[in-house]
Amino acid sequence: RTNWLIIFGVCAARCATAFVPEGLPRFSSILRVAATLRPPRPLVFTYQRRQSFALRCADSSRMMGTSSSANDSPQAGSKRFAPAADRNTAPILEVLKEVMPTKGRALAIAEGSGQHVTAFAAKFPDVEFVATDMEASCLDSIRAYVSDAGLRNVREVVLCDCTTQDKALLGDDLYDFIYTINLTHISPWAATEGLLQLAARKMNKDGALFIYGPFKVNGQFTTDSNRQFDQSLRSQNAEWGYREVGQMEEAAVAQGLQRVKTLDMPANNHVLLFKKS
């Protein structure tokens, strides 16, 4: 933009000197103004930044925050938008109608933007939700979505890194339903292990753990596009990548959980449903 202003200034000065005696002083003024203008920053979104709130429950060195009411005033402009959440909310809701209790308490791990918990809480008004994420900016976004929707059954929004297992943040409450969406492949394996440990500790005896995302089945990718996406993830972070269903089941069994259902979902995703053994 600065370059264009200089070119414009040169042309204007030439015209001015041809017709107006003060043309050269005007030209100098134009150049001084142009010199103060900075070109706009390039609009660059790195992969790491786009995935920042998808990398949840992962960094055990993060400082842990405190819980807060979902009714705390959100900051203006704090709502974030996740295109994937916008696409998958409807098909996930269809499954939740079959596997989620219509009353009780639900815990969202790595909620992200807040689009999911807002949609789920609206459809399950008799379920009390607690939403968590490891990023403070996501908590602001969750509160903003909940506030705009006027929901009263999202009780708390909690900063939580599930690898630290800090009991104080979630209290002594047990949950009838725990869910996470698109966590396991965009976080280190330690995050999934922490999720399973947390579920084993925080689920009541009849509770269920609902994990949605892409997985390898029998050690194989279900599509070439999944293979390519996995390679892309690992090129960004060697600890990321698709998990194998058998690997998930083995880790769950170690925590006293058993896989009771596997469902195919759109866009080559799956739902893994676990309950206590």
Side-chain angles (χ1 to χ4, degrees):
R1 182 169 61 182
T2 301
N3 291 337
W4 279 107
L5 285 173
I6 293 174
I7 293 171
F8 172 79
V10 171
C11 294
R14 289 181 178 176
C15 293
T17 53
F19 300 102
V20 182
E22 333 50 276
L24 287 177
R26 291 182 181 181
F27 175 49
S28 299
S29 298
I30 292 171
L31 287 180
R32 284 197 298 272
V33 172
T36 64
L37 299 175
R38 295 182 180 179
R41 293 182 179 180
L43 190 63
V44 177
F45 296 98
T46 64
Y47 186 87
Q48 289 283 354
R49 185 56 192 161
R50 283 187 282 119
Q51 295 295 344
S52 63
F53 72 93
L55 179 56
R56 309 141 157 114
C57 306
D59 184 1
S60 59
S61 66
R62 286 278 183 106
M63 289 295 293
M64 299 303 300
T66 58
S67 65
S68 61
S69 168
N71 294 323
D72 287 355
S73 298
Q75 296 180 3
S78 56
K79 287 176 73 172
R80 306 176 71 169
F81 179 77
D86 190 52
R87 292 191 300 269
N88 62 33
T89 294
I92 291 175
L93 265 174
E94 290 303 310
V95 176
L96 291 182
K97 292 175 183 177
E98 302 297 326
V99 301
M100 185 172 174
T102 56
K103 293 183 179 181
R105 296 171 55 82
L107 175 65
I109 297 295
E111 168 60 29
S113 66
Q115 291 161 257
H116 286 128
V117 73
T118 303
F120 301 163
K123 293 294 184 181
F124 292 87
D126 294 324
V127 175
E128 186 179 76
F129 288 80
V130 172
T132 74
D133 201 277
M134 66 174 287
E135 291 196 21
S137 61
C138 288
L139 304 191
D140 290 336
S141 182
I142 296 167
R143 294 187 192 103
Y145 273 100
V146 171
S147 177
D148 286 355
L151 296 169
R152 297 185 177 275
N153 59 325
V154 180
R155 182 172 65 85
E156 284 186 289
V157 179
V158 182
L159 187 67
C160 179
D161 177 343
C162 64
T163 63
T164 67
Q165 299 295 297
D166 191 328
K167 297 180 181 180
L169 290 174
L170 293 175
D172 297 324
D173 294 329
L174 297 180
Y175 294 86
D176 303 290
F177 196 80
I178 299 176
Y179 73 84
T180 191
I181 297 169
N182 284 336
L183 164 70
T184 59
H185 62 300
I186 315 181
S187 62
W189 174 244
T192 297
E193 292 181 312
L195 166 69
L196 295 170
Q197 292 167 11
L198 186 148
R201 179 167 55 85
K202 300 300 295 181
M203 275 195 322
N204 67 34
K205 63 179 183 178
D206 297 319
L209 170 63
F210 178 102
I211 302 177
Y212 170 97
F215 296 94
K216 291 191 288 184
V217 180
N218 296 323
Q220 303 296 318
F221 293 100
T222 56
T223 65
D224 287 337
S225 62
N226 275 7
R227 183 190 305 276
Q228 293 168 6
F229 186 39
D230 175 78
Q231 292 173 348
S232 175
L233 291 173
R234 293 180 187 277
S235 70
Q236 298 297 319
N237 188 321
E239 294 188 277
W240 296 3
Y242 283 32
R243 312 305 175 188
E244 209 276 329
V245 171
Q247 178 189 22
M248 295 287 297
E249 186 168 23
E250 182 178 348
V253 168
Q255 300 301 323
L257 305 174
Q258 61 178 349
R259 177 164 58 105
V260 296
K261 186 172 292 189
T262 302
L263 299 172
D264 293 336
M265 299 292 289
N268 305 310
N269 290 294
H270 301 276
V271 166
L272 305 182
L273 191 70
F274 296 90
K275 292 193 172 185
K276 287 190 173 182
S277 302

